[in-house]
Amino acid sequence: MKKRSMPNPICRTAVGCAVLILMCSATLARAAGDPTAGAALFEEECSECHTTTGKHKKGPTLRGIIGRKAGTATGYEDYSDAVKKSDLVWSAEALDRYLTKPQQFSPSIKMKYTGLASAAERADLIEFLKTKK
């Protein structure tokens, strides 16, 4: 006897398909990141050393980081030589790789941060930083 494959039980009706589409849309929206959650995460993880106001602390301001060449925040001089000489321009993708494990991304950086393991939290933080132009 030949086995028949059953269709996805959620998608047996138009309403079920609509629910499945909404569930997938919510997942994709979450993957893009939540800037409000990112603001809270910035306060918790980053604000001891960084601001998004344009002022520097131990580290450079992160205002306008998206699209900025690494090592070029105006008025901040304490970058490592490797960062100053790099051709890196900060994009969402580069920040994601960097925030995962900063020391692996650039072994000679001065920042003493071990990284942010959660992809969702990195997405939230990056979406927050995108709002700080």
Side-chain angles (χ1 to χ4, degrees):
M1 181 158 96
K2 185 176 179 183
K3 284 187 176 183
R4 290 178 34 186
S5 64
M6 295 297 292
N8 183 327
I10 293 175
C11 205
R12 287 186 182 165
T13 65
V15 172
C17 287
V19 168
L20 187 59
I21 289 168
L22 288 173
M23 288 169 49
C24 291
S25 296
T27 300
L28 289 173
R30 177 69 181 137
D34 174 7
T36 302
L41 188 61
F42 180 88
E43 191 61 35
E44 179 184 320
E45 295 282 325
C46 312
S47 66
E48 181 180 333
C49 299
H50 298 280
T51 72
T52 57
T53 64
K55 294 183 179 184
H56 305 298
K57 285 184 165 181
K58 292 177 193 173
T61 182
L62 299 181
R63 171 176 236 144
I65 192 167
I66 302 291
R68 182 170 74 208
K69 184 179 181 308
T72 64
T74 304
Y76 186 78
E77 303 297 326
D78 199 27
Y79 289 106
S80 69
D81 288 338
V83 170
K84 287 182 202 176
K85 293 175 184 175
S86 78
D87 290 327
L88 175 67
V89 174
W90 290 114
S91 64
E93 295 78 18
L95 278 170
D96 185 61
R97 287 192 322 268
Y98 180 77
L99 291 168
T100 302
K101 291 198 178 206
Q103 300 298 329
Q104 281 184 353
F105 186 86
S106 179
S108 64
I109 63 167
K110 293 181 178 182
M111 188 171 84
K112 304 298 181 212
Y113 182 66
T114 59
L116 191 56
S118 168
E121 287 181 338
R122 290 192 311 274
D124 292 344
L125 182 57
I126 291 165
E127 285 303 309
F128 168 70
L129 291 173
K130 286 179 179 179
T131 70
K132 301 300 177 182
K133 298 177 181 179

